Amino acid sequence: MKNLHYKDFFWNSDLTCTGGYDAIIQYLSDGKRVCKEVEEFMKARASIEEKYAKDLLGLSKKVCGHNEMNSLKRSLDVFKLQTEHVSLSHFQLAQNMKDEAKKLEDFREKQKEARKKIEQQMDALHKQKASQFKKTMDSKKTYDQKCRDKEEADQNVNRNTNNTKHMEKLNSKAQQAKQNADEADRLYQQNVTTMGKIRDDWMKEHIKACEMFEKQSVERINFLRNTVWTHLNQLSQQCVTSDELYEEVRKSLEQCNIQEDIEHFVNLRRTGDKPPAPVMYENFYSGQKSPTAASPSRLPPPITRRAPPPEPTQNNRDTLYSTVQDAGYSLIQY
């Protein structure tokens, strides 16, 4: 199948019409707008990745498993470390996206400048073509009118043959009309020739412009396709990188030994291997050991009560009492 090209399908039957050219310019303008939209999209995505990276980096600095110990603590430390590495990889991803967006911006501006020169040149040719076309059509109208005037003058000469003086006047008018028609014809032909040259120049430049615009379209489509492809490759690579970093955490978790951690805690924080003795019941009134009494070594000596003290003896001089301050006084006998 034959390839289609701009230069073959954007002509107009009207010489002054620029519909084909305008359609191409509109398509290029839409393409420039698409480049700008993709560029803004990638910048926005880069901002999202950068914000995510900052949040992830802040999260990796938070306390997580500080009081854990042994193999699980080592795994949690690796978990935090790899989370930090993932955040750094997202920072790099964001920067790569910004770089690609900048390349797209430079490409868009480069095409804009190149197209601007061609557009200015074509606009000048369109104005020149339209101006010359109007001038040519005006000269044609003048030529047609002068030709009609000449024919009318010739007819007047042929109808009036009796009056010699009047005939001379008619012949003079006919001669003048012929001169005017000849001049109009010359000017009309000159304008047509000029119009032909301008048309030829315009057609050549139109073909060149179409080829240049088609080349820009091909480059733009190819550049956008490659840019999006690269963008997706970056996202896929980020997934691979993240998975590789997470794999390090999984490897560390595989080394986590539950029983070893339990034994580590026991050996580190053990307080004793014997439980406390039970609390025993002790009867206040009985000196006998209760069925559930403790061993004799833990019981206090039995308590016995003695008879009341004797009545004090009275004599004529002083009454003497034993007091609690006396060293030998006691109500309890052992």
Side-chain angles (χ1 to χ4, degrees):
M1 182 178 177
K2 183 180 178 180
N3 293 332
L4 304 182
H5 299 287
Y6 291 2
K7 65 180 180 179
D8 298 325
F9 297 96
F10 289 94
W11 298 101
N12 297 99
S13 58
D14 185 353
L15 184 59
T16 60
C17 180
T18 60
Y21 174 83
D22 293 339
I24 296 176
I25 293 300
Q26 183 62 49
Y27 177 65
L28 295 177
S29 297
D30 293 341
K32 181 180 68 174
R33 188 177 299 108
V34 172
C35 286
K36 180 67 174 177
E37 291 170 352
V38 174
E39 175 191 332
E40 294 298 329
F41 181 94
M42 296 183 67
K43 287 181 179 179
R45 181 60 190 268
S47 297
I48 293 173
E49 289 292 335
E50 190 171 26
K51 182 179 183 302
Y52 175 70
K54 289 180 180 178
D55 292 343
L56 201 59
L57 182 61
L59 181 63
S60 69
K61 303 300 182 182
K62 290 185 178 296
V63 175
C64 180
H66 177 71
N67 294 325
E68 191 53 64
M69 55 183 62
N70 209 43
S71 64
L72 181 56
K73 179 174 176 56
R74 291 192 294 270
S75 295
L76 292 177
D77 290 342
V78 173
F79 174 57
K80 288 183 58 181
L81 178 62
Q82 298 306 324
T83 300
E84 179 181 351
H85 290 168
V86 170
S87 71
L88 296 178
S89 68
H90 278 279
F91 273 120
Q92 185 60 50
L93 174 61
Q95 185 59 49
N96 292 340
M97 289 180 177
K98 290 180 180 179
D99 293 342
E100 289 300 318
K102 185 63 171 61
K103 291 179 183 178
L104 182 55
E105 180 183 3
D106 294 341
F107 172 80
R108 177 172 55 83
E109 290 299 322
K110 181 181 179 181
Q111 281 207 334
K112 177 182 176 181
E113 291 301 319
R115 188 169 65 250
K116 183 178 180 181
K117 296 179 181 179
I118 301 297
E119 289 181 11
Q120 290 175 345
Q121 183 178 358
M122 291 302 298
D123 288 343
L125 284 173
H126 288 155
K127 290 179 180 179
Q128 183 184 17
K129 176 166 63 77
S131 175
Q132 183 60 37
F133 181 80
K134 182 178 183 304
K135 188 176 181 181
T136 302
M137 292 300 99
D138 289 343
S139 66
K140 182 181 183 304
K141 290 180 181 180
T142 302
Y143 165 71
D144 290 343
Q145 184 61 45
K146 295 302 180 181
C147 287
R148 285 191 290 268
D149 292 345
K150 176 180 177 297
E151 289 180 352
E152 183 180 355
D154 290 341
Q155 291 174 1
N156 289 334
V157 169
N158 293 332
R159 284 196 299 265
N160 297 277
T161 58
N162 297 327
N163 191 329
T164 304
K165 186 176 181 180
H166 185 62
M167 279 293 298
E168 291 178 355
K169 186 177 181 180
L170 290 177
N171 285 330
S172 176
K173 286 185 177 180
Q175 186 65 30
Q176 184 62 44
K178 182 179 182 303
Q179 292 178 357
N180 292 339
D182 291 342
E183 178 62 21
D185 180 51
R186 184 191 66 79
L187 184 61
Y188 175 45
Q189 290 188 35
Q190 180 181 342
N191 286 331
V192 169
T193 301
T194 303
M195 184 75 256
K197 292 180 179 180
I198 292 176
R199 174 184 174 276
D200 291 341
D201 293 340
W202 164 75
M203 288 182 62
K204 292 178 182 178
E205 295 303 323
H206 179 79
I207 292 174
K208 290 181 181 179
C210 286
E211 291 175 343
M212 186 269 187
F213 292 154
E214 182 177 335
K215 180 181 178 183
Q216 277 202 338
S217 297
V218 171
E219 291 175 350
R220 179 186 62 83
I221 294 172
N222 184 61
F223 195 92
L224 275 178
R225 183 187 64 174
N226 291 342
T227 297
V228 175
W229 196 293
T230 300
H231 178 73
L232 295 177
N233 284 345
Q234 290 173 343
L235 294 176
S236 297
Q237 182 58 47
Q238 177 60 43
C239 293
V240 173
T241 301
S242 296
D243 188 66
E244 290 175 350
L245 295 172
Y246 294 145
E247 181 63 22
E248 295 299 319
V249 182
R250 287 190 286 267
K251 290 179 180 179
S252 177
L253 290 172
E254 288 176 350
Q255 301 301 318
C256 179
N257 188 306
I258 298 175
Q259 187 57 39
E260 180 184 323
D261 283 11
I262 295 299
E263 292 177 359
H264 176 81
F265 169 71
V266 170
N267 293 329
L268 183 66
R269 303 288 173 82
R270 63 192 303 171
T271 58
D273 56 358
K274 294 181 180 180
V279 177
M280 301 303 177
Y281 170 73
E282 297 178 0
N283 191 297
F284 178 78
Y285 298 101
S286 173
Q288 299 298 323
K289 179 170 66 175
S290 67
T292 59
S295 59
S297 61
R298 298 193 179 188
L299 292 177
I303 300 176
T304 58
R305 299 190 180 276
R306 55 184 298 180
E311 292 292 335
T313 304
Q314 296 184 0
N315 53 30
N316 295 331
R317 296 181 61 184
D318 295 317
T319 301
L320 297 177
Y321 294 96
S322 295
T323 65
V324 295
Q325 287 81 8
D326 294 342
Y329 177 76
S330 174
L331 291 176
I332 301 175
Q333 292 182 348
Y334 291 94

